[in-house]
Amino acid sequence: MLRYLIPVGLLAALVAFFFVGLGRDKQTLPSPLLGKPAPAFSLPRVDDPTQTVSNKDFAGQPYVLNVWATWCVGCRQEHDALLAIAARGEVPIVGLNWKDERDLAQQWLRELGNPYVVTAFDQEGRVAIDWGVYGAPETFLVDSAGNVIHKHVAPLTVEIWEREFLPLLKQQAVSR
Amino acid sequence: MRICAAVLACMLLASFAHAIDTAPAFADPAQQARYERIARELRCLQCRSETIADSNASLAEDLRRQLRELIAAGKTDAEIMTYMTDRYGDYVLYRPPVKSNTWLLWAAPALLVLGGGVIAVVVILRKSKLPDDDLPEDDRARGSGAP
């Protein structure tokens, strides 16, 4: 009896491993930033190089940081969703224009609409590295204490916003 | 046709040449060696199965730039690795550290050898206790005392 049970058991264990492995999302990497203070940045604005934008500008209030670029197809995909979310006025959306060209970025915002309260221009991608960005679009939620509390990699939709971001934002409002 | 061949030859040569950068990053060969060694231990997160030394992805270029700056600033290997994992997590390391969720990964080779050894010993012991019934026909006949 045992001599049959052993191979069957081994097979079952293998199947279990593969099953769990198949179901896991291997594209989205867990962010080590979650629960930690948002990396500080100070960058020129995309619309006006003489002015800077820093995360100190948003101290004491929750905000969303959205990493985008004109070369990023997923960013175009999510743009309408960002406009819709911005129109709800629940939280300011800060843009981080990543490794892009200024005139193209300005043209993008003119043509497609601007969901951002302000967009920082990270041409060299240094701030993006501090935030652990590995592929646009990426969207971070920062709480009023300045901690990163959520990260979404891939185009944002209003459904994802309502399911993943909004509950965290409401918790924030309650605990304050 | 000749141009095609030349282009092909260039591409072949390029793949044999140094994978990273067009020129050495450091004048000091020791620093350059260190730079190349660490670059081969860091994963390019855009392409996943390449190191930042092998990848031409823009993120890999940026991470190589950070690495050059960290080395130039005199950071130790441990400080550089912490800088990378603080931002990108353990996934950025090609050699993941031994932790509660990676010990099985590290122990797997030893466990497999051990398990194979145990099975081998069991099989050999069991076989050695079996009667030698695979002797040639006439030997067996002699052994049993039959005519």
Side-chain angles (χ1 to χ4, degrees):
Chain A
M1 191 59 194
L2 191 68
R3 61 185 301 156
Y4 297 110
L5 273 180
I6 289 173
V8 170
L10 284 176
L11 180 70
L14 207 60
V15 168
F17 262 108
F18 286 154
F19 187 76
V20 172
L22 276 176
R24 277 174 58 191
D25 173 13
K26 283 183 274 298
Q27 285 302 308
T28 312
L29 300 177
S31 172
L33 282 180
L34 291 182
K36 300 213 178 99
F41 65 86
S42 182
L43 284 170
R45 290 170 60 136
V46 84
D47 54 349
D48 182 358
T50 61
Q51 289 189 62
T52 58
V53 50
S54 140
N55 50 350
K56 290 193 192 90
D57 300 346
F58 308 97
Q61 61 166 322
Y63 65 93
V64 163
L65 185 96
N66 176 255
V67 182
W68 66 281
T70 55
W71 45 261
C72 148
V73 182
C75 302
R76 190 171 280 265
Q77 242 175 53
E78 71 170 5
H79 200 77
D80 285 340
L82 285 175
L83 286 170
I85 294 162
R88 296 158 68 130
E90 288 147 345
V91 64
I93 305 178
V94 180
L96 183 70
N97 183 243
W98 183 38
K99 292 180 77 71
D100 209 344
E101 285 166 46
R102 192 186 291 274
D103 47 347
L104 291 179
Q106 288 175 351
Q107 188 189 346
W108 164 292
L109 293 176
R110 264 198 314 276
E111 284 175 4
L112 300 176
N114 186 355
Y116 308 107
V117 289
V118 60
T119 297
F121 186 57
D122 188 18
Q123 194 170 23
E124 294 190 316
R126 288 174 189 275
V127 169
I129 285 179
D130 283 344
W131 284 70
V133 170
Y134 60 88
E138 290 188 13
T139 309
F140 298 84
L141 181 60
V142 180
D143 70 6
S144 50
N147 295 317
V148 179
I149 53 173
H150 190 61
K151 177 182 183 181
H152 178 77
V153 183
L156 197 61
T157 62
V158 175
E159 291 76 52
I160 293 170
W161 172 257
E162 288 179 346
R163 194 175 63 234
E164 295 181 9
F165 287 79
L166 215 47
L168 290 168
L169 211 55
K170 281 184 178 146
Q171 267 176 25
Q172 276 279 302
V174 169
S175 61
R176 262 208 292 176
Chain B
M1 190 58 216
R2 206 176 282 172
I3 295 173
C4 266
V7 168
L8 207 68
C10 282
M11 282 162 70
L12 277 173
L13 280 176
S15 63
F16 292 128
H18 252 311
I20 38 173
D21 308 327
T22 42
F26 295 96
D28 174 16
Q31 257 184 337
Q32 176 69 18
R34 190 167 162 239
Y35 165 64
E36 287 180 19
R37 175 175 54 77
I38 300 176
R40 282 181 208 292
E41 289 193 17
L42 294 171
R43 186 187 305 274
C44 163
L45 292 103
Q46 247 161 10
C47 14
R48 302 293 168 92
S49 33
E50 278 184 309
T51 63
I52 63 167
D54 297 322
S55 176
N56 282 321
S58 66
L59 182 62
E61 281 172 28
D62 286 358
L63 287 177
R64 287 201 298 272
R65 178 196 63 210
Q66 298 304 115
L67 178 58
R68 283 194 296 274
E69 290 176 1
L70 289 168
I71 290 176
K75 301 279 185 207
T76 66
D77 285 12
E79 280 169 338
I80 292 172
M81 291 309 180
T82 309
Y83 174 91
M84 295 294 174
T85 52
D86 277 353
R87 284 157 182 75
Y88 289 102
D90 287 342
Y91 194 76
V92 76
L93 305 176
Y94 250 97
R95 283 185 299 171
V98 184
K99 282 186 176 174
S100 60
N101 57 349
T102 55
W103 70 265
L104 190 60
L105 179 76
W106 282 101
L111 287 177
L112 285 175
V113 168
L114 214 67
V118 168
I119 291 173
V121 166
V122 167
V123 168
I124 289 166
L125 283 180
R126 207 187 278 167
K127 289 270 183 199
S128 68
K129 280 184 197 142
L130 290 178
D132 289 338
D133 59 353
D134 52 353
L135 290 173
E137 233 10 87
D138 51 334
D139 284 6
R140 204 184 309 173
R142 221 172 295 148
S144 66

